[in-house]
Amino acid sequence: MSLASINGQQRVVIEKITPQLDGGRFPIKTITNEIVNVEADVFADGHDYIAVRLFHKHQNDKKWHESPMRLIGNDRYVGSFQTIHQGSYQYAVEGWVDHLASWQHEIELKLKDRQYVNVELLVGAAQLDGLAKRASKEDKKGILEVAKIFRAPDRYDEATMLATSKQLADWGAQYPERQGAVRSAELGVVVDRARAQFSTWYSMFPRSAAKQEGQHGTFRDVIDLLPRIERMGFDVLYLPPIHPIGTKFRKGKNNNVNCQPDEPGVPYGIGSELGGHDAIHPDLGTLADFKALVAACHQHGMEIAMDLAIQCSPDHPWARDHKDWFKIRPDGSIQYAENPPKKYQDIYPVNFETPDWQALWLELKRVIFAWAEWGVRIIRVDNPHTKSFGFWEWLISETKAVYPDMIFLAEAFTRPKVMQQLAKLGYAQSYTYYTWRNTKAELTEYLTELTKTDMRHYYRPNFWPNTHDINPPVLQSGHEPAFITRFFMAATLSSNYGIFGPTYEYMVHDVFPGKEEYLNSEKYEIKHWDWEHTNKLTYIITQINKIRKENEALQLTNNLNFCGIDNDQLIAYLKTHANGNRILCVVNLDGNNRQAGVVNVPVHLIGKNPDQEYRVHDLLTGAQYVWRGGQGYVELDPNIVPFHLFRIEDIW
Amino acid sequence: MSLASINGQQRVVIEKITPQLDGGRFPIKTITNEIVNVEADVFADGHDYIAVRLFHKHQNDKKWHESPMRLIGNDRYVGSFQTIHQGSYQYAVEGWVDHLASWQHEIELKLKDRQYVNVELLVGAAQLDGLAKRASKEDKKGILEVAKIFRAPDRYDEATMLATSKQLADWGAQYPERQGAVRSAELGVVVDRARAQFSTWYSMFPRSAAKQEGQHGTFRDVIDLLPRIERMGFDVLYLPPIHPIGTKFRKGKNNNVNCQPDEPGVPYGIGSELGGHDAIHPDLGTLADFKALVAACHQHGMEIAMDLAIQCSPDHPWARDHKDWFKIRPDGSIQYAENPPKKYQDIYPVNFETPDWQALWLELKRVIFAWAEWGVRIIRVDNPHTKSFGFWEWLISETKAVYPDMIFLAEAFTRPKVMQQLAKLGYAQSYTYYTWRNTKAELTEYLTELTKTDMRHYYRPNFWPNTHDINPPVLQSGHEPAFITRFFMAATLSSNYGIFGPTYEYMVHDVFPGKEEYLNSEKYEIKHWDWEHTNKLTYIITQINKIRKENEALQLTNNLNFCGIDNDQLIAYLKTHANGNRILCVVNLDGNNRQAGVVNVPVHLIGKNPDQEYRVHDLLTGAQYVWRGGQGYVELDPNIVPFHLFRIEDIW
């Protein structure tokens, strides 16, 4: 180790800064107007006092903001800063040996021991001379005056008073020496807008929005449905791809390879002679119609989520103009999608190993920026895990540099590490395994992983009890309590959730044999719905969405804490907000039998003593009970309402 | 993000490599001839197969060694390498998409589905062409022959057999394409000699080694004591500083500031007109005598540990020639040591913030290298936590670059993070809080931290029940069972331990009032011991050290597992070695009463079924018991022997 590469006078060590992802490789995530609490181990050799500061800076700030960090014990310091703006912040920790504070501490001990500290005062005077050089004009005068008193043998008593004064400490903190200061590496935070953390998704095929059966729905039809969707409490309207659909190898009803001439095809078979990812299916309307839909959504407090599926029908312009973006088979044809032994001749996957990857990336960026110009600020990405990680990191970073309000949702149902990586690379929200987590043990384990591990810092779950691709086993019976509880838990465990629209509301559940998919799936055919129809489930959805809007504890996910309950068919969880809002949910997972049990309420989390009374108020039914301390009895009949959504209220 | 800085064709991600300290900032530690098991999360987008390799390299190796890592589930791979030599190794993980293996997997599925794979065979043939370019002359021939068969329509059956053959997979692994390979950062391992991990320290003041009372002991006297120390089973002889002692402000008996003219002074008041850290106290002997002691130790299977105390008496040459290495007070005097309100006028601490730090560091390195030339290979550093961290990192690295067999022991009793940092920076062994951990709960918690957290990778504990500085409360009664159990636990919980020689053996325990120090401490005066005297404790020390040498399970620390036992006064722990050696220790922490209990033996760790019998054989007393399954009864009388040291033996 060459001495030339070392600053031998640096004595401070900074370690274990939290939050921190993979040694700073990835930023953490938060939203605007949140507090980021930063902790670090900071220490020096010996017994000197140290000063520790937190630095932070928004991407547009020219200068760093600096604030003190305070010791919380065991050489660990804590500080915080607020994320005001969208975009990205950097933060870092700096520390140095605080000679003035050390000197003050030592002289205090010596004075208590009645030692004569004349030499120590001279040492202090020299320190003050240095301090004065960094001070404001006014303070400089004051500081030099104190130095003078330290040097005046006849003002000893005055000097010892000043030596231990708060004024001196304040000056030291304001004009620190920073000699041998050590600075940590810079860490990042991506700051999204609030909807990244709290959103309520409604998914529907716009072509099924027609008022008359047999007609192809349009964006104008969707506009007419917005009051209904808004009334139900949704704020994101997610549409599967709206682009022209290819005809070559087009799939028919129920994925039939023999497509009838009048069948509409699958929206994921993107591209025809009418255009690709930047074109709109003519039967849905024009670009003007789409822009009108975007505007109408805004008027209803909602916004559109587009679907980015990076794949092509054989008729897509890219398949003609950019054959080298695909794998070419030895016979010269483009390699269609496969999941051996299955073949999907209607889909060409893009080859991210293409030597022409730069042109491919730029074209995909062009598509995203075109959508952004149309007014789109949420993009649900289809199967992101089959496209290269590096591409996503670049694309999301490029997009957010211009559109910091853009939200990307990863529709990845794959292995845990892959899903986590996508979130680390920049996805603001992510699909989850919730769809298949049914038992109390499964739910508890999975939610604990999401909310108590590192994942809390970068992985924002979006819970879907069903999707247009997935008809999960738990719902295949069509049993109403299952639909209610699966919806309810999605909406209360996670602050982001969504449903595949009328299919869910009306409890459609016919199974394609041998698959977790819908029979007569809407992916392959146009449906017609009676949008006026209401039922118990639509009522509950509407009420719960309203309650979510009124209770901030339900607008967070990481504030989740499970409560013990002495019945394996009952699951109970508490969510608390810093503003005092406290929500306790209890769910009967048994769709057939009434279940009862005693909830263990963690009283310290609701600000109560073990012998204090409080009210639990069911915000759906209006029922109210008075509980005392850490235990509360519940009884839930799945055929009435299979859950309690209690707000915890103080009794005055 | 500029596209120019990206390799867009790379698809593999490598994360969470273990072992790894603080993101690779520090190396882990091991000893020669050990296996390092490396794990990593490695994955790519999509469903392709990937190849994962572990690379490692000794500091003197020109080329990297490469070995495959295997998937153990959840995208986690494991591999290993052996540390043959002392010094440092680097390791790294590399991964790439394995197109040939992916192709083999897919064609296998298609063949099972009875698909006609003629086009796939042509794809494979092209891959084989690439493979052949990297192959040995012989294999090249074979590979091209297979490619030819893949392309021959009339040899279809033969081709499909070859396509799924192990031969093809082997060629793929031997001559991989490595296209878009991703390589992790390099991580480090420091490899020490075996004694860094297993050592038995005996500490004594050589000036107390004289045969006649009233005489100043010499190195020659120490040489005469070596057979006794060897017989007791020690292999490191640690000597407090052996340098000339200053006279200015010299301290007398019991730290008296009024020193009598004939008092010898404190060995830590280093330096006089006779020299400093590179000189030898003339009353101990000459440098030739010291070298004779080093040689004699080697003949007895032992070695010397020197004491590095970076501080000076006012008479030290540095205080004359390098005043700028110290803090200068306004009156021009050198600042003596203080721990306000206490003053230590006999000691000048070195100022590591000196602008002349480079000269200071080089002088200290010169001292260490001088000692190394004298034959010293173990250095116990006094209070390393009051010298700068950067200095230690540099000094240890510089020293080990030339003397990779040098072992540094940190005598730091301070805050946890500081002690940990010193170990991370290169100390091979470290003092611990064992000296003050007495109850079952304290011992269990502390040993769990040492052996089950990250500390296991870099912090090698050295347990001392007493030192010449510390007469701990638990021993101040002089009660024999306490001396026995504190010794026994040090020697069996930790593979490295030591005692402050005759003071411990003969259970000296007089307390300096108000301090955890010895009354009439040997630091301030010369003692005279009857080295022929033996007692129960010297017998037990001798036997336990012999048992440590014969049982490899006691030569490791991180192999510790506590066993449940239904009595808070009894503590039980198991140590197992890969060679089958299994040691179970049970200690009665109650020095006054017989205690009994039932040990829960973790049968899976001793290779037994819950209903299998085995023998527990007390290696000290010879007693043998047959236990069955997970429970064994013990009863220990502190006045007989307060512990069991069982070897677990199979019954055939």
Side-chain angles (χ1 to χ4, degrees):
Chain A
M1 290 173 86
S2 157
L3 283 179
S5 67
I6 300 173
N7 178 349
Q9 292 171 294
Q10 287 184 321
R11 291 171 50 202
V12 170
V13 171
I14 302 174
E15 282 198 335
K16 297 208 170 79
I17 300 178
T18 57
Q20 175 174 197
L21 269 186
D22 297 355
R25 165 70 180 85
F26 302 104
I28 60 156
K29 296 196 182 95
T30 188
I31 59 167
T32 48
N33 299 311
E34 285 288 313
I35 301 294
V36 178
N37 289 306
V38 179
E39 293 190 8
D41 288 350
V42 193
F43 49 89
D45 63 273
H47 307 287
D48 284 332
Y49 277 38
I50 57 173
V52 185
R53 300 279 169 91
L54 176 63
F55 286 76
H56 78 276
K57 181 167 139 356
H58 184 263
Q59 63 191 58
N60 298 334
D61 290 341
K62 292 217 178 71
K63 287 168 81 175
W64 289 89
H65 307 271
E66 181 178 346
S67 59
M69 297 180 77
R70 70 186 166 80
L71 182 64
I72 53 172
N74 197 13
D75 290 315
R76 191 136 184 96
Y77 288 77
V78 64
S80 64
F81 65 94
Q82 195 177 11
T83 52
I84 312 284
H85 307 290
Q86 290 182 121
S88 74
Y89 283 78
Q90 301 293 113
Y91 58 99
V93 174
E94 192 171 298
W96 59 85
V97 174
D98 189 336
H99 290 108
L100 188 65
S102 305
W103 174 87
Q104 268 203 305
H105 173 67
E106 291 186 2
I107 208 166
E108 209 167 291
L109 292 173
K110 288 173 182 174
L111 287 168
K112 269 189 196 152
D113 192 50
R114 293 164 199 249
Q115 295 182 18
Y116 185 53
V117 295
N118 58 326
V119 177
E120 282 78 2
L121 287 169
L122 295 177
V123 171
Q127 291 201 14
L128 291 183
D129 291 345
L131 204 63
K133 285 183 198 144
R134 297 180 295 272
S136 71
K137 211 171 160 185
E138 281 164 52
D139 286 342
K140 185 177 180 169
K141 217 177 122 190
I143 293 166
L144 289 177
E145 175 61 21
V146 175
K148 202 170 138 193
I149 297 169
F150 282 8
R151 288 191 171 101
D154 56 339
R155 299 176 76 176
Y156 182 81
D157 289 345
E158 200 181 342
T160 57
M161 292 276 284
L162 285 164
T164 56
S165 68
K166 184 170 178 303
Q167 173 67 79
L168 211 63
D170 290 347
W171 279 332
Q174 202 172 347
Y175 308 114
E177 188 186 12
R178 296 181 200 262
Q179 196 199 16
V182 170
R183 177 113 173 205
S184 75
E186 288 162 19
L187 299 166
V189 197
V190 166
V191 180
D192 289 307
R193 56 196 173 105
R195 190 154 285 160
Q197 187 163 284
F198 175 49
S199 62
T200 312
W201 293 50
Y202 189 84
S203 148
M204 63 172 289
F205 284 81
R207 68 186 185 186
S208 297
K211 289 168 195 75
Q212 293 217 317
E213 188 153 8
Q215 297 236 320
H216 193 289
T218 67
F219 293 138
R220 297 284 165 186
D221 293 325
V222 176
I223 289 173
D224 293 339
L225 287 175
L226 294 182
R228 172 189 188 275
I229 302 171
E230 181 190 18
R231 210 162 45 234
M232 290 189 74
F234 294 96
D235 53 25
V236 178
L237 177 61
Y238 152 54
L239 309 177
I242 57 170
H243 315 297
I245 297 171
T247 51
K248 211 176 287 168
F249 295 107
R250 178 180 278 194
K251 294 288 179 70
K253 188 176 166 83
N254 283 316
N255 205 20
N256 194 327
V257 290
N258 298 312
C259 182
Q260 301 306 310
D262 60 339
E263 290 194 82
V266 183
Y268 290 91
I270 296 169
S272 76
E273 71 281 359
L274 299 172
H277 286 73
D278 55 354
I280 286 175
H281 194 300
D283 290 349
L284 289 172
T286 63
L287 179 55
D289 293 333
F290 179 77
K291 287 183 176 173
L293 172 60
V294 169
C297 279
H298 279 287
Q299 280 162 15
H300 290 280
M302 301 168 55
E303 57 184 304
I304 289 290
M306 285 281 269
D307 194 329
L308 175 65
I310 303 179
Q311 58 189 28
C312 303
S313 93
D315 304 317
H316 195 290
W318 294 343
R320 182 189 63 218
D321 303 336
H322 294 283
K323 260 188 91 164
D324 59 340
W325 290 356
F326 304 89
K327 276 192 189 152
I328 308 300
R329 289 159 48 104
D331 61 5
S333 66
I334 292 179
Q335 175 68 58
Y336 48 79
E338 290 184 301
N339 185 10
K342 287 183 244 169
K343 303 176 178 192
Y344 306 92
Q345 285 97 337
D346 58 330
I347 299 290
Y348 289 169
V350 167
N351 174 23
F352 276 82
E353 287 183 354
T354 172
D356 195 32
W357 62 271
Q358 296 196 339
L360 169 67
W361 288 23
L362 290 170
E363 167 66 1
L364 290 167
K365 175 180 164 182
R366 193 189 63 75
V367 167
I368 298 297
F369 276 56
W371 295 359
E373 286 306 302
W374 301 350
V376 171
R377 287 296 182 278
I378 303 184
I379 296 174
R380 175 265 198 200
V381 178
D382 189 72
N383 283 333
H385 55 290
T386 58
K387 287 85 195 174
S388 78
F389 295 114
F391 166 69
W392 293 123
E393 182 168 31
W394 173 81
L395 180 77
I396 296 173
S397 145
E398 289 283 297
T399 305
K400 296 192 69 134
V402 179
Y403 304 101
D405 51 347
M406 189 68 87
I407 292 173
F408 287 89
L409 163 68
E411 184 258 2
F413 289 120
T414 179
R415 289 123 59 208
K417 308 276 170 76
V418 173
M419 291 166 68
Q420 290 166 9
Q421 184 69 19
L422 290 165
K424 288 180 186 176
L425 292 172
Y427 278 93
Q429 296 187 0
S430 305
Y431 271 37
T432 70
Y433 300 137
Y434 169 71
T435 317
W436 300 273
R437 296 292 178 271
N438 299 304
T439 66
K440 182 175 175 172
E442 287 167 355
L443 288 162
T444 307
E445 185 190 0
Y446 187 52
L447 269 295
T448 300
E449 186 188 354
L450 288 173
T451 62
K452 302 289 183 200
T453 69
D454 254 7
M455 288 181 80
R456 65 184 281 121
H457 293 306
Y458 67 88
Y459 198 96
R460 292 203 195 94
N462 193 326
F463 277 13
W464 289 71
N466 80 327
T467 75
H468 57 258
D469 288 315
I470 304 164
N471 179 8
V474 67
L475 300 177
Q476 291 178 3
S477 69
H479 194 47
E480 186 188 74
F483 275 84
I484 294 175
T485 57
R486 294 300 297 168
F487 155 76
F488 177 77
M489 290 193 292
T492 51
L493 285 166
S494 174
S495 52
N496 296 304
Y497 87 94
I499 56 170
F500 174 41
T503 304
Y504 201 88
E505 296 168 54
Y506 302 143
M507 295 177 273
V508 175
H509 59 278
D510 296 323
V511 186
F512 189 98
K515 291 195 174 188
E516 286 191 11
E517 294 200 14
Y518 289 101
L519 188 68
N520 306 326
S521 163
E522 211 165 335
K523 283 197 290 182
Y524 308 101
E525 58 188 282
I526 295 173
K527 297 277 180 186
H528 184 258
W529 304 99
D530 174 4
W531 299 98
E532 302 301 320
H533 184 73
T534 59
N535 60 18
K536 183 168 163 184
L537 183 52
T538 59
Y539 173 78
I540 287 177
I541 291 171
T542 306
Q543 293 306 310
I544 296 298
N545 282 342
K546 188 163 170 285
I547 292 165
R548 277 166 51 93
K549 288 214 170 97
E550 292 165 353
N551 290 273
E552 293 83 352
L554 293 172
Q555 298 168 17
L556 301 171
T557 300
N558 291 330
N559 60 341
L560 178 73
N561 281 289
F562 287 100
C563 307
I565 184 164
D566 59 343
N567 180 333
D568 266 356
Q569 293 297 329
L570 294 175
I571 187 166
Y573 45 95
L574 177 72
K575 284 189 148 185
T576 58
H577 190 277
N579 73 355
N581 186 232
R582 294 155 298 182
I583 298 291
L584 174 67
C585 299
V586 189
V587 182
N588 179 358
L589 299 169
D590 176 351
N592 300 303
N593 305 293
R594 174 186 292 243
Q595 296 282 354
V598 175
V599 185
N600 287 316
V601 184
V603 285
H604 63 286
L605 294 180
I606 62 167
K608 296 290 168 199
N609 297 327
D611 54 1
Q612 233 174 330
E613 288 189 339
Y614 50 91
R615 183 167 43 240
V616 296
H617 177 178
D618 191 310
L619 298 179
L620 183 77
T621 64
Q624 305 193 12
Y625 310 87
V626 172
W627 286 3
R628 185 192 178 92
Q631 303 217 307
Y633 176 79
V634 292
E635 194 177 306
L636 289 163
D637 185 333
N639 295 308
I640 304 169
V641 181
F643 62 82
H644 276 306
L645 195 171
F646 288 133
R647 184 164 62 208
I648 294 174
E649 298 169 354
D650 295 323
I651 298 172
W652 299 108
Chain B
M1 287 173 85
S2 157
L3 284 179
S5 67
I6 300 173
N7 178 352
Q9 293 172 294
Q10 287 185 322
R11 292 171 50 203
V12 170
V13 171
I14 302 173
E15 284 199 332
K16 299 208 169 81
I17 300 177
T18 58
Q20 174 173 197
L21 268 187
D22 296 356
R25 164 69 180 87
F26 302 104
I28 60 157
K29 297 196 182 97
T30 188
I31 58 167
T32 47
N33 298 311
E34 283 289 311
I35 301 294
V36 178
N37 288 304
V38 179
E39 293 190 10
D41 288 351
V42 193
F43 49 89
D45 63 272
H47 307 287
D48 284 332
Y49 277 40
I50 58 173
V52 184
R53 301 277 169 93
L54 175 63
F55 287 75
H56 79 274
K57 180 167 139 0
H58 183 264
Q59 63 190 60
N60 297 336
D61 290 342
K62 292 217 178 69
K63 287 168 81 174
W64 290 88
H65 306 272
E66 181 179 347
S67 59
M69 297 180 76
R70 71 188 166 77
L71 182 64
I72 53 172
N74 197 14
D75 291 315
R76 193 137 183 94
Y77 289 76
V78 62
S80 64
F81 65 93
Q82 195 178 8
T83 51
I84 311 286
H85 307 290
Q86 289 181 120
S88 74
Y89 283 77
Q90 300 294 112
Y91 58 99
V93 174
E94 192 172 299
W96 58 85
V97 174
D98 189 337
H99 290 108
L100 188 65
S102 305
W103 174 88
Q104 268 203 305
H105 173 67
E106 292 187 1
I107 208 166
E108 208 166 293
L109 294 173
K110 289 174 182 175
L111 287 169
K112 269 188 197 152
D113 192 49
R114 292 164 202 250
Q115 295 180 18
Y116 185 53
V117 295
N118 57 327
V119 177
E120 283 78 2
L121 287 170
L122 295 177
V123 172
Q127 290 203 12
L128 292 183
D129 290 347
L131 203 65
K133 285 182 196 143
R134 297 180 294 272
S136 72
K137 209 170 162 186
E138 279 164 52
D139 287 341
K140 184 176 180 172
K141 217 177 125 189
I143 293 167
L144 290 177
E145 174 61 22
V146 175
K148 201 171 139 193
I149 296 169
F150 281 8
R151 289 189 172 102
D154 56 337
R155 299 175 77 176
Y156 182 79
D157 289 347
E158 200 181 343
T160 57
M161 293 276 284
L162 285 165
T164 57
S165 66
K166 184 170 178 305
Q167 172 68 76
L168 212 63
D170 290 347
W171 278 333
Q174 201 172 348
Y175 309 114
E177 191 186 9
R178 298 181 199 262
Q179 195 199 15
V182 170
R183 178 114 171 203
S184 74
E186 288 161 18
L187 300 167
V189 196
V190 166
V191 180
D192 289 308
R193 57 197 171 105
R195 190 157 282 162
Q197 184 164 286
F198 174 50
S199 61
T200 312
W201 292 51
Y202 190 84
S203 148
M204 62 173 288
F205 285 82
R207 69 188 184 183
S208 299
K211 288 168 197 74
Q212 291 214 321
E213 191 153 6
Q215 300 238 318
H216 194 289
T218 66
F219 294 137
R220 295 286 167 187
D221 293 324
V222 176
I223 289 173
D224 293 339
L225 286 174
L226 294 182
R228 173 188 187 275
I229 302 170
E230 179 190 18
R231 209 161 47 234
M232 290 188 75
F234 294 96
D235 52 27
V236 178
L237 176 61
Y238 153 53
L239 310 177
I242 58 170
H243 316 298
I245 297 170
T247 50
K248 213 177 287 167
F249 295 105
R250 177 181 280 194
K251 295 288 178 71
K253 189 174 165 86
N254 284 314
N255 205 22
N256 196 326
V257 290
N258 299 311
C259 183
Q260 302 305 312
D262 60 339
E263 289 195 84
V266 184
Y268 290 91
I270 297 170
S272 75
E273 71 281 359
L274 298 173
H277 287 72
D278 54 353
I280 286 176
H281 194 300
D283 290 349
L284 288 171
T286 63
L287 179 55
D289 293 333
F290 181 76
K291 287 184 176 172
L293 172 59
V294 169
C297 278
H298 279 286
Q299 279 164 13
H300 290 280
M302 299 170 57
E303 57 184 303
I304 289 289
M306 284 283 268
D307 195 330
L308 176 65
I310 304 180
Q311 59 188 29
C312 303
S313 93
D315 305 317
H316 195 290
W318 294 342
R320 181 189 64 217
D321 303 336
H322 296 281
K323 259 186 94 165
D324 60 340
W325 290 356
F326 304 89
K327 278 193 187 149
I328 308 299
R329 287 158 53 103
D331 61 5
S333 67
I334 291 179
Q335 174 68 59
Y336 48 79
E338 290 184 302
N339 184 13
K342 287 182 242 168
K343 303 177 180 192
Y344 306 92
Q345 285 99 332
D346 57 331
I347 299 291
Y348 289 169
V350 168
N351 174 22
F352 276 82
E353 287 183 355
T354 172
D356 196 32
W357 61 270
Q358 296 196 339
L360 169 67
W361 289 22
L362 290 170
E363 167 65 1
L364 290 167
K365 175 179 164 182
R366 191 189 64 73
V367 167
I368 299 297
F369 276 57
W371 294 0
E373 286 305 302
W374 301 351
V376 171
R377 286 297 181 278
I378 304 184
I379 297 174
R380 176 266 197 198
V381 178
D382 189 71
N383 284 332
H385 56 290
T386 58
K387 286 87 196 174
S388 79
F389 295 115
F391 166 69
W392 293 123
E393 183 170 29
W394 172 81
L395 181 77
I396 295 173
S397 145
E398 290 282 297
T399 305
K400 296 192 69 136
V402 180
Y403 304 102
D405 52 346
M406 189 69 86
I407 292 173
F408 287 89
L409 163 69
E411 186 257 3
F413 289 119
T414 180
R415 290 123 59 209
K417 307 276 170 80
V418 174
M419 289 166 71
Q420 290 165 10
Q421 185 70 18
L422 291 166
K424 288 179 185 176
L425 292 172
Y427 278 93
Q429 297 187 1
S430 304
Y431 270 37
T432 71
Y433 300 136
Y434 170 72
T435 316
W436 300 274
R437 296 293 177 272
N438 298 304
T439 67
K440 183 173 172 172
E442 287 167 355
L443 288 162
T444 307
E445 185 190 359
Y446 187 52
L447 269 296
T448 300
E449 186 189 354
L450 288 173
T451 62
K452 303 289 184 199
T453 70
D454 253 8
M455 288 181 80
R456 63 184 282 121
H457 292 306
Y458 68 88
Y459 199 97
R460 291 201 196 95
N462 192 327
F463 278 14
W464 288 71
N466 79 329
T467 75
H468 57 259
D469 288 314
I470 305 163
N471 178 8
V474 67
L475 300 178
Q476 291 179 3
S477 70
H479 194 47
E480 185 188 74
F483 275 83
I484 293 175
T485 58
R486 294 300 298 169
F487 154 76
F488 177 75
M489 291 192 292
T492 51
L493 285 166
S494 174
S495 52
N496 296 304
Y497 88 94
I499 56 171
F500 174 42
T503 304
Y504 201 90
E505 296 167 56
Y506 303 143
M507 295 177 272
V508 175
H509 59 279
D510 296 324
V511 185
F512 189 98
K515 293 195 174 188
E516 286 191 10
E517 294 198 16
Y518 289 100
L519 187 68
N520 307 325
S521 163
E522 209 166 336
K523 284 198 289 183
Y524 309 101
E525 58 190 280
I526 294 173
K527 298 276 180 185
H528 184 258
W529 302 100
D530 174 5
W531 299 98
E532 301 301 318
H533 184 73
T534 59
N535 60 19
K536 184 169 161 183
L537 182 52
T538 58
Y539 173 78
I540 286 176
I541 291 171
T542 306
Q543 291 307 309
I544 296 300
N545 282 341
K546 186 163 172 284
I547 292 166
R548 276 166 52 94
K549 289 215 171 98
E550 293 165 354
N551 289 273
E552 293 83 352
L554 293 172
Q555 298 168 15
L556 301 171
T557 300
N558 291 330
N559 61 340
L560 178 74
N561 281 288
F562 286 100
C563 307
I565 184 163
D566 58 343
N567 182 332
D568 267 357
Q569 293 297 330
L570 294 176
I571 188 166
Y573 43 95
L574 177 71
K575 285 190 148 184
T576 57
H577 189 279
N579 74 356
N581 186 233
R582 293 156 299 184
I583 298 291
L584 174 68
C585 299
V586 189
V587 182
N588 179 359
L589 299 170
D590 176 351
N592 298 304
N593 305 292
R594 174 185 293 241
Q595 296 282 353
V598 175
V599 185
N600 287 317
V601 184
V603 285
H604 63 287
L605 294 180
I606 62 165
K608 295 290 168 200
N609 297 325
D611 55 1
Q612 235 174 329
E613 289 189 337
Y614 51 91
R615 184 168 42 239
V616 296
H617 177 180
D618 191 312
L619 298 179
L620 183 78
T621 65
Q624 305 193 12
Y625 309 88
V626 172
W627 286 4
R628 186 191 177 94
Q631 304 216 308
Y633 176 79
V634 291
E635 196 178 306
L636 289 164
D637 185 333
N639 296 307
I640 303 169
V641 182
F643 62 82
H644 276 305
L645 195 170
F646 287 133
R647 183 164 63 208
I648 294 175
E649 298 170 352
D650 296 322
I651 297 172
W652 299 108

